[in-house]
Amino acid sequence: MDSPRAALARQTAEYFRGQFKTEPHVVVTAPGRVNLIGEHTDYNDGFVLPAAIDRATAIAASPRSDRNLVIHAQNLKSTMMLSLADLTPRRTGAWSNYVAGVAHFLRRRGDNLAGANMLINSTVPRGSGLSSSAALEVAAACTFISLNGLTIPDLDVIVLCQQAENEFVGVQCGIMDQFISYLGKKNHALRIDCRSLEFLQVPIPAGVRLLICDTAVRRSLASSEYNRRREECDAGVSVLSRHLPGILKLRDVSPGDLARCESFLDQTVYRRCRHVVTENARVEDSVRTLRAGDLSAFGQLMYESHRSLRVDYEVSCRELDMVVDICMESDGVLGARMTGAGFGGSVVCCVREEAVEVLAARLARDYPAISGRQPGIHVCSLEDGVAVEPR
Ligand code: GLA
């Protein structure tokens, strides 16, 4: 039987043939991600621990002889035509901005792009905190690179995808999502240093599974609140740098230094900073506990991370907290926390293999009863990053 990724690639090639009446020259699949710990730390130059999952966005494509991109989004049943000669962002929220932004920044590097027919097909639910946007950007970048025979270093592609989202889509995201969609590793999480962009592959010990519970709450406030959190962190750094010379970002501040400077900071800004500096420390502790196979300690760090996001960073919501509470009361669950930007989206639970079915059944029964919403429950496997299959 096909793996979910292989099945997605095969189905995407079929849709492409149906839509464009020709064979694709390449099929690219780029995974969504779950972040195990290290939330809202990437844009503070800190540490994160994400993993690529078995939900992905696929693009099948072939070159055209003109300078147009004809893009069909299978999930939305929508087709757009863009001219490579005129790549300006369309209205806010237009899905084509992700693809156009990547093409724009490739061209700005001096890379010559030919026109293309492209079909996009995704199994990453949108707005669920699993990085459907980054998966689309990475898939689009690798499609253009393959069709046009370009050679670009990995980190440059990752940074270019982030730039497309920052400057073309208008979301000031950090680098985590594009990084993990590109360089993820099967059965591993990556501990990424978001300043140096060095990374370490951290194996997930046998005997546990990751269950993702999508609350079905969509992140309507997300982009404005997200950008506001970034500003609060920067405001913290500008005050702290008067007392802690040489710091550039919250990454450079230890929990002890921050505690000593509490009285100089506005209370809200202090709490935002406290989340970031303690979360960075939790990522480092998580890597240590996972390497030592101490899953109970890792699970406790997940719960502490959720608490800090709820109380200090204020990016959780009622429904995310309900799911975490159900997990806390369930046997065999080691830890749980919201994953991604927050304000809705998903919870990631680390659960002992033998308890996973009972937890899934309990969430399916109890969460709708208390929230009135239907959860999306997915026991996921951890996969490799982007795959390019020339045909
Ligand atoms: C979103 C952004 C990431 C990161 C997370 C929060 O997923 O795209 O860069 O900031 O939120 O950790």
Side-chain angles (χ1 to χ4, degrees), residues 142-307:
C142 294
T143 301
F144 290 127
I145 289 169
S146 170
L147 285 183
N148 295 282
L150 309 174
T151 312
I152 308 180
D154 293 345
L155 289 180
D156 292 4
V157 180
I158 293 168
V159 169
L160 184 145
C161 290
Q162 182 199 10
Q163 238 180 344
E165 181 142 353
N166 289 170
E167 295 175 33
F168 222 80
V169 178
V171 176
Q172 297 305 312
C173 65
I175 196 136
M176 165 170 72
D177 306 343
Q178 292 79 6
F179 201 110
I180 190 68
S181 182
Y182 197 93
L183 284 175
K185 167 98 175 141
K186 195 170 176 58
N187 296 332
H188 289 68
L190 296 193
R191 180 269 200 192
I192 306 167
D193 176 335
C194 297
R195 172 172 282 166
S196 67
L197 301 187
E198 284 165 341
F199 66 97
L200 198 76
Q201 295 172 341
V202 181
I204 300 302
V208 291
R209 299 301 304 269
L210 295 172
L211 180 149
I212 294 171
C213 179
D214 182 352
T215 57
V217 176
R218 293 298 173 240
R219 307 176 290 169
S220 53
L221 272 177
S223 49
S224 58
E225 286 293 330
Y226 184 91
N227 291 348
R228 180 170 324 155
R229 293 298 179 282
R230 285 193 72 137
E231 286 159 18
E232 288 166 340
C233 292
D234 292 343
V237 170
S238 82
V239 173
L240 289 169
S241 62
R242 287 184 225 138
H243 308 277
L244 303 168
I247 64 159
L248 297 174
K249 288 277 188 181
L250 287 177
R251 146 76 175 269
D252 304 310
V253 179
S254 70
D257 282 341
L258 179 67
R260 275 191 295 283
C261 292
E262 177 173 359
S263 60
F264 305 122
L265 292 167
D266 164 272
Q267 261 310 299
T268 303
V269 170
Y270 174 71
R271 283 188 294 117
R272 305 298 190 243
C273 295
R274 184 166 62 185
H275 165 70
V276 175
V277 302
T278 58
E279 185 78 351
N280 274 330
R282 280 187 288 271
V283 174
E284 300 303 68
D285 289 345
S286 295
V287 171
R288 219 168 302 124
T289 54
L290 283 171
R291 293 228 137 137
D294 187 350
L295 289 164
S296 315
F298 172 61
Q300 283 313 308
L301 290 163
M302 291 178 83
Y303 284 131
E304 282 168 30
S305 167
H306 184 78
R307 185 174 183 285

Side-chain angles (χ1 to χ4, degrees), residues 33 43 80 107 130 161 198 230 252 254 357 377:
R33 64 100 186 91
Y43 52 80
M80 285 240 189
R107 278 169 47 85
L130 302 178
C161 290
E198 284 165 341
R230 285 193 72 137
D252 304 310
S254 70
E357 275 176 31
I377 295 171

